[in-house]
Amino acid sequence: MNRPPPYFPQNQLSPPDENRYRKFKLIMGGLAVLLLLVIGAVGYGIYYAVSTFLS
C-alpha cells in the first residue's frame, strides 16, 4: 500500500460566475443599509421611550 493518494482536481468543474463580485457587493451593501436602519430604529425607540417617561 505504498501508493500516493487519489488525484483530486484543483480547478472548478463549472466556469466561475462573472457577476459574482457584483452580487457580493450588492448583498453586502444591502446588509449595511439594513443594519443602519435597524440601529436607527433602535436609537429612535430608546429616544422615544426616554422622552415619554421623562415628560
Side-chain angles (χ1 to χ4, degrees):
M1 300 307 277
N2 197 5
R3 294 186 301 192
Y7 173 71
F8 293 102
Q10 299 298 317
N11 57 351
Q12 295 179 350
L13 297 178
S14 61
D17 186 13
E18 289 145 5
N19 293 326
R20 180 176 58 181
Y21 184 61
R22 184 173 180 266
K23 291 177 189 175
F24 176 75
K25 285 196 306 186
L26 286 174
I27 290 171
M28 287 298 119
L31 286 176
V33 169
L34 185 65
L35 182 65
L36 286 175
L37 287 174
V38 168
I39 291 173
V42 168
Y44 180 74
I46 291 171
Y47 167 76
Y48 182 76
V50 168
S51 65
T52 301
F53 289 128
L54 291 181
S55 60

